[in-house]
Amino acid sequence: MDHIRAISDQYRSTDIRRIFMVMAETHSSEAGQRRSRRPVNQGAWGVVVLLFLFFTLNFADKAAIGLGSHQIREDLGLTASQYGLLSSAFFWLFAIGAVVLTAALRKISYTWGAGLLMISWVVTMLPLTVQTSFSVLLACRIALGFFEGPAHALCQSIVADRFSPEKRATAGAVVNAGSSVGPLIAAPVLTWVILSWSWHAAFAVLAALGTLWVIVWFWYTEKLPFKRSHEPAVDGDSEVEDPNGNIVVPFRRLLTLQSFWGLVLLSFAGYLVSSLKVAWLPAYMNEGLGYSASSVGTLVTLPYFAAVVVLLSAALLSGRLLRKGHSSNVARGYVTGGYLLAGGVSMIMFTQLQPGPLQLVLVIAAFAVNSVATSVAFAGASDFLPARQRVAFFGCIIAAYSVAGIVAPYGLGRIVDHAPTAAQGYSTGFMFVGIIVCIFGVVGGLMLNPEKAKARLVQLTAEYAAEEARPA
């Protein structure tokens, strides 16, 4: 503070702002150059692989309810609305978990944070491995949603700490690919388990795999103390500096950025698709399109397989655009918005067609874009956020988009219950969702501008520093 006061005595008012802005921009540029020259080591990619498996199990347990929907509804005597309520229950405390647990996880090491989350998931699934009631099933889904709330924010923060901006979207996409690979693997495997035994057996398999992941995670990752201290990011052999570490603004100011609300719209649109894919896609293929239960176990994997390809292609495209000198507004915002627009249009179109190959292609395309917003767009957020505020910022976005998971499954169930036929109900519901995805994708893509957001934060940092340096 002494050197700041010395400068403020020599320069006044407008001059000091220019000095702080130049200092901040220079520091950021130099840190970014140092960061981009470092090779990624194998340890960082090993963590990425384990986080990919973490996300795979995260979405496999979500898919289990959808895959067992027919048995669950028959076993418990549920209507479409009640099943929709059960599917949405996962998200009732999701937002609270995203905010509360994200804040708590900032105080403990990433090793313990991810490990404890997986343990909590296993515990919430254990009651479902035996015969149970609707109320117990509902309570377990609510609890699971609470503990899964901070998962994405934690994973993306760990990735952002270990990779430079050019590699961040790709590493994040590999992790997020688990959101598609989980159901992709779970669909045929858990469908076979459910048809051979029961839906309870599916949760027993997931609980066992979760326990195995915990063992491998604590064996492989750094042996860090429970309480968080300074954890060096691993993008190379030496410590990586935070390129946005010079930004010092109150957290509330981050939530006033245009890019924050752009991210909210993009991720909300993506999660509308995600929640319906998990909760209703198997039932839609069976009741709405007329495919048999065994065929659905295979067909439902196609959107998830396509989602992996779409997600990785979007991440590679985003990184390529950045390397070629395009703005982050284009590489992050336009790319994400464009993919969501394509998915929304595909969803609107398949509701107007009769079941057949063309409709199936459009169904696959519509449900393949859901994870782009939570990888490419979130990578854009890391481009302007200081690392110390990243997890909390992501937690707020997750809290906002989790509303889609509450509204969409239950809303679609109500539409199906009140439609003349199940097929007509599904068509009406998905058409409305497709329209919303198109609008939010375009508007959110235009609003997300990481370069503009970072310039604004640098300016605010200079203003706050100038105010602090001004003599009382």
Side-chain angles (χ1 to χ4, degrees):
M1 293 302 300
D2 292 335
H3 73 280
I4 293 177
R5 292 193 180 94
I7 294 174
S8 66
D9 291 337
Q10 183 177 359
Y11 304 96
R12 295 293 181 185
S13 190
T14 57
D15 290 334
I16 192 169
R17 292 188 181 184
R18 293 173 185 167
I19 291 171
F20 278 111
M21 290 181 72
V22 170
M23 289 170 61
E25 290 171 355
T26 301
H27 176 83
S28 176
S29 175
E30 291 175 350
Q33 290 173 1
R34 287 193 296 270
R35 195 178 167 101
S36 62
R37 285 196 296 265
R38 292 192 177 109
V40 179
N41 68 18
Q42 294 179 350
W45 282 109
V47 171
V48 166
V49 170
L50 284 172
L51 291 178
F52 159 77
L53 295 174
F54 180 83
F55 242 50
T56 297
L57 290 171
N58 179 293
F59 274 77
D61 65 43
K62 291 186 181 74
I65 286 291
L67 295 169
S69 61
H70 184 71
Q71 272 198 17
I72 292 171
R73 288 168 66 179
E74 283 193 346
D75 192 14
L76 302 178
L78 305 180
T79 65
S81 295
Q82 288 175 316
Y83 172 73
L85 185 68
L86 175 64
S87 297
S88 71
F90 176 88
F91 299 96
W92 292 359
L93 296 183
F94 191 87
I96 296 174
V99 175
V100 174
L101 295 182
T102 292
L105 289 172
R106 294 176 64 188
K107 299 178 181 179
I108 65 177
S109 65
Y110 85 90
T111 299
W112 281 96
L116 289 176
L117 282 184
M118 180 60 77
I119 291 171
S120 68
W121 301 354
V122 171
V123 170
T124 62
M125 286 188 285
L126 289 178
L128 307 183
T129 61
V130 296
Q131 196 67 33
T132 188
S133 64
F134 174 74
S135 59
V136 172
L137 177 56
L138 188 70
C140 287
R141 298 305 287 178
I142 294 171
L144 181 62
F146 176 77
F147 287 111
E148 288 198 3
H152 188 264
L154 177 66
C155 289
Q156 290 302 313
S157 181
I158 293 172
V159 168
D161 283 343
R162 284 158 174 74
F163 293 88
S164 62
E166 295 81 6
K167 303 165 188 170
R168 190 176 293 150
T170 301
V174 171
V175 174
N176 273 354
S179 65
S180 295
V181 173
L184 176 65
I185 297 173
V189 174
L190 294 186
T191 296
W192 176 77
V193 170
I194 291 167
L195 293 176
S196 300
W197 289 281
S198 70
W199 61 273
H200 301 288
F203 284 101
V205 170
L206 291 171
L209 291 174
T211 302
L212 178 61
W213 185 92
V214 171
I215 295 172
V216 175
W217 174 256
F218 280 111
W219 170 78
Y220 179 84
T221 54
E222 299 166 272
K223 305 302 182 287
L224 298 172
F226 180 80
K227 187 175 181 180
R228 182 171 186 149
S229 56
H230 177 68
E231 297 175 24
V234 191
D235 190 29
D237 294 329
S238 57
E239 182 180 336
V240 175
E241 295 185 43
D242 178 11
N244 300 320
N246 59 295
I247 294 174
V248 183
V249 300
F251 183 77
R252 60 183 172 79
R253 297 306 296 265
L254 300 179
L255 306 185
T256 65
L257 295 172
Q258 173 183 294
S259 287
F260 169 77
W261 293 103
L263 281 164
V264 167
L265 292 178
L266 291 171
S267 55
F268 189 94
Y271 223 71
L272 279 175
V273 179
S274 292
S275 60
L276 292 177
K277 179 161 70 169
V278 170
W280 282 110
L281 183 58
Y284 170 57
M285 286 186 162
N286 179 231
E287 299 173 2
L289 303 183
Y291 295 103
S292 66
S294 57
S295 297
V296 167
T298 301
L299 292 176
V300 79
T301 64
L302 299 178
Y304 290 104
F305 178 79
V308 176
V309 177
V310 168
L311 180 59
L312 294 177
S313 71
L316 292 172
L317 175 60
S318 178
R320 183 178 179 83
L321 289 172
L322 283 179
R323 288 192 296 273
K324 286 187 171 295
H326 291 276
S327 69
S328 55
N329 181 211
V330 172
R332 309 301 199 195
Y334 289 5
V335 167
T336 304
Y339 274 82
L340 288 173
L341 177 61
V345 170
S346 297
M347 186 172 289
I348 294 170
M349 291 177 65
F350 79 62
T351 64
Q352 307 303 308
L353 298 176
Q354 295 297 317
L358 177 59
Q359 188 199 47
L360 186 59
V361 169
L362 291 173
V363 169
I364 293 170
F367 285 100
V369 301
N370 56 298
S371 296
V372 175
T374 49
S375 58
V376 176
F378 268 53
S382 298
D383 293 345
F384 63 83
L385 289 172
R388 61 186 172 277
Q389 294 175 309
R390 194 181 291 135
V391 175
F393 184 89
F394 288 159
C396 289
I397 295 175
I398 292 169
Y401 76 58
S402 67
V403 176
I406 298 173
V407 174
Y410 179 65
L412 185 61
R414 295 283 294 177
I415 292 172
V416 171
D417 268 345
H418 289 83
T421 65
Q424 289 179 333
Y426 286 119
S427 293
T428 301
F430 283 127
M431 182 181 67
F432 284 132
V433 172
I435 293 171
I436 294 172
V437 169
C438 287
I439 295 172
F440 282 20
V442 171
V443 176
L446 293 173
M447 292 178 68
L448 176 58
N449 191 332
E451 289 171 340
K452 182 179 178 181
K454 183 169 184 176
R456 176 59 178 158
L457 292 177
V458 169
Q459 180 185 12
L460 288 172
T461 297
E463 291 176 0
Y464 281 115
E467 290 176 6
E468 189 176 339
R470 190 174 296 120

